[in-house]
Amino acid sequence: MLPLNIVVIGGGAAGFFGAIACAQANPHARVTLLEASRQPLAKVLISGGGRCNVTHACFEPERLVQNYPRGAKALLSAFTRFQAKDTAAWFAQRGVYLNIEADGRMFPVTNTSETIVECLIKTAAIAGVELRIGTPVVSVKRTSPAAGFEISLKSGETKNCDRLLLATGSSLIGYKIARELGHQIEPPVPSLFTFNIPDPKLRALAGISVNPVQLRLSVGGKSPLQQTGPLLITHWGLSGPAVLKLSAWGARVLHESRYQAKLLINWLPDLQQEQVRQKLLAVKQEWPQKAIALHRGIDLPHRLWQYIIARAEITTEDRWAGLPNKKLNQLVLELTQGEYLISGKGAFKEEFVTCGGVKLKEVNFKTLESRLVPGLYFAGEILDIDGVTGGFNFQSAWTTAYLAGKAMGNID
């Protein structure tokens, strides 16, 4: 019996992890990894600001899936078989230890993504994976209903295999191949991005951060989306974990609205609206002759406070004693549900995450094998799965690739 001939297309995190899992599951299989560029694992190298946020310290599958705007249901069973704890153990077995930061993100203790890249390349080589870089794939076709695949390379070469793993991320060629093999693709749109706010006075506060804030996003009359967490004011508008998470959950509706939306900001989510009013009234009573701009009684950065009172039409000369109830109510509203217009999106560092991809109902999540095309497997971002920021996108890549690789190597 001839050994299995297996090809993995895509030399990113999912491609390497799947190829390794396959080669280790079946040492007799011939596993070839095809990467179009000359630099494998390029996205891993730049991720997390060059530190690589490998995963997140969330070790209960039911809680872990709550960080995936798309794919949570499909991932739940997958995470019972390989989750963040298993990822950390996998790397530790190969001498790469992860450190848990205060917010739960997990990075290599070396604090450099090169550690992860070197580990994957070395482990793949030890497992016998043949890595071919600078090898773009043009198309794939079934050789016969019961047989494998014929892969056409840009060089003119063709390569045949029994089983095929598509781990091409959000690249168009991966979607094209999946579509030509019979799969439906949810249209890919950006996820994890910052908000452009066309307010020069807000942008002048770039660098100020507030934690926590509560954000509510209203788009086109649909049910508002909400997130609470740290917010960062930037030269173009708003960023920070709360914004990035909101962008992930709202990726499709924001795309449909051409990134025009209304954002409500509660700068003081730990207080009820009436508690905010009472705090302001207490300041008014204690410091009646003081300038409102200088005596705030509210725990916010000074320059942000001055910006907010200006939005409530309060001047730098206004004193607490002369503040009418109408202006007080306006200030309470600005602090607890200030309205900001989103007009466009920014990028999130060098990383780019999309939602969309191969429809999940067409994939068996026990094995990550296509329900339509026997011998075809998927892993990583080519699937219609995406997570919020914090290591969750890498974790879905590790999990789907590990399960796909194990299943591909199975000779039963």
Side-chain angles (χ1 to χ4, degrees):
M1 183 178 176
L2 291 172
L4 277 175
N5 193 355
I6 293 167
V7 169
V8 177
I9 302 178
F16 264 85
F17 217 65
I20 292 166
C22 181
Q24 291 179 337
N26 185 347
H28 301 294
R30 290 199 300 264
V31 183
T32 306
L33 177 55
L34 305 177
E35 165 56 29
S37 74
R38 305 295 303 180
Q39 173 65 67
L41 298 163
K43 197 170 178 181
V44 174
L45 204 55
I46 62 170
S47 68
R51 298 169 61 214
C52 189
N53 184 185
V54 176
T55 186
H56 200 96
C58 182
F59 306 130
E60 297 169 23
E62 294 80 4
R63 283 185 53 228
L64 191 54
V65 296
Q66 293 171 17
N67 295 283
Y68 294 86
R70 284 147 294 269
K73 185 178 178 183
L75 284 173
L76 182 56
S77 65
F79 283 154
T80 63
R81 284 169 289 142
F82 194 91
Q83 50 124 309
K85 178 174 58 180
D86 302 302
T87 300
W90 189 96
F91 280 103
Q93 285 164 10
R94 288 151 184 87
V96 176
Y97 298 94
L98 306 181
N99 181 47
I100 303 174
E101 300 206 339
D103 59 3
R105 292 180 301 162
M106 298 180 73
F107 293 87
V109 294
T110 57
N111 241 5
T112 173
S113 55
E114 289 177 4
T115 305
I116 302 300
V117 170
E118 289 167 5
C119 175
L120 291 170
I121 291 174
K122 180 182 176 182
T123 306
I126 292 170
V129 175
E130 180 192 356
L131 172 61
R132 293 184 60 180
I133 60 172
T135 310
V137 172
V138 176
S139 64
V140 176
K141 65 180 181 181
R142 283 291 260 168
T143 49
S144 78
F149 305 88
E150 182 180 275
I151 302 164
S152 297
L153 305 179
K154 191 175 180 181
S155 63
E157 178 190 350
T158 59
K159 186 167 181 59
N160 290 80
C161 65
D162 303 303
R163 296 174 184 175
L164 174 67
L165 172 61
L166 288 181
T168 48
S170 56
S171 75
L172 296 179
I173 185 63
Y175 297 140
K176 173 178 173 285
I177 292 169
R179 196 179 287 114
E180 288 174 351
L181 289 171
H183 279 274
Q184 295 182 71
I185 305 295
E186 288 285 356
V189 301
S191 181
L192 287 187
F193 47 83
T194 57
F195 296 159
N196 290 347
I197 309 289
D199 180 350
K201 291 180 180 177
L202 176 69
R203 294 175 176 186
L205 303 177
I208 288 178
S209 60
V210 183
N211 183 24
V213 300
Q214 185 182 77
L215 305 178
R216 282 170 61 87
L217 181 69
S218 298
V219 188
K222 298 187 178 178
S223 299
L225 298 166
Q226 185 171 299
Q227 282 293 329
T228 301
L231 176 112
L232 173 67
I233 301 173
T234 69
H235 291 293
W236 59 87
L238 298 173
S239 185
V243 168
L244 295 170
K245 288 178 182 179
L246 196 59
S247 79
W249 289 97
R252 288 220 171 272
V253 292
L254 282 165
H255 178 76
E256 289 163 8
S257 72
R258 298 185 179 182
Y259 305 100
Q260 309 294 311
K262 183 171 71 175
L263 183 69
L264 297 180
I265 303 182
N266 182 353
W267 298 98
L268 303 165
D270 292 337
L271 299 173
Q272 298 295 322
Q273 198 171 77
E274 184 55 34
Q275 290 177 301
V276 174
R277 180 180 280 102
Q278 292 303 319
K279 271 185 167 287
L280 296 177
L281 286 171
V283 179
K284 182 178 180 180
Q285 185 175 356
E286 189 173 354
W287 303 100
Q289 299 309 315
K290 298 291 186 180
I292 297 169
L294 299 176
H295 288 76
R296 56 189 183 276
I298 293 288
D299 187 20
L300 284 176
H302 178 64
R303 287 196 301 139
L304 177 60
W305 168 258
Q306 292 188 320
Y307 166 78
I308 289 171
I309 66 168
R311 282 175 58 100
E313 300 177 359
I314 297 169
T315 71
T316 53
E317 289 77 30
D318 286 339
R319 311 279 166 176
W320 280 107
L323 184 68
N325 279 338
K326 184 180 178 182
K327 287 279 182 73
L328 179 71
N329 291 338
Q330 198 173 335
L331 178 55
V332 171
L333 287 176
E334 283 295 341
L335 287 165
T336 58
Q337 53 185 64
E339 188 174 304
Y340 298 78
L341 295 178
I342 297 171
S343 181
K345 66 174 182 62
F348 174 43
K349 299 181 181 176
E350 310 96 332
E351 298 164 59
F352 188 66
V353 173
T354 60
C355 72
V358 174
K359 287 199 172 186
L360 304 186
K361 66 181 181 181
E362 299 176 351
V363 180
N364 177 352
F365 267 75
K366 288 184 178 178
T367 60
L368 276 299
E369 185 176 16
S370 164
R371 295 186 185 276
L372 311 179
V373 186
L376 175 64
Y377 296 77
F378 300 98
E381 206 182 340
I382 190 174
L383 293 159
D384 184 21
I385 292 174
D386 61 291
V388 299
T389 180
F392 299 104
N393 286 293
F394 270 135
Q395 185 53 53
S396 64
W398 308 131
T399 294
T400 53
Y402 181 82
L403 297 178
K406 286 282 193 187
M408 281 194 304
N410 191 343
I411 56 175
D412 293 338

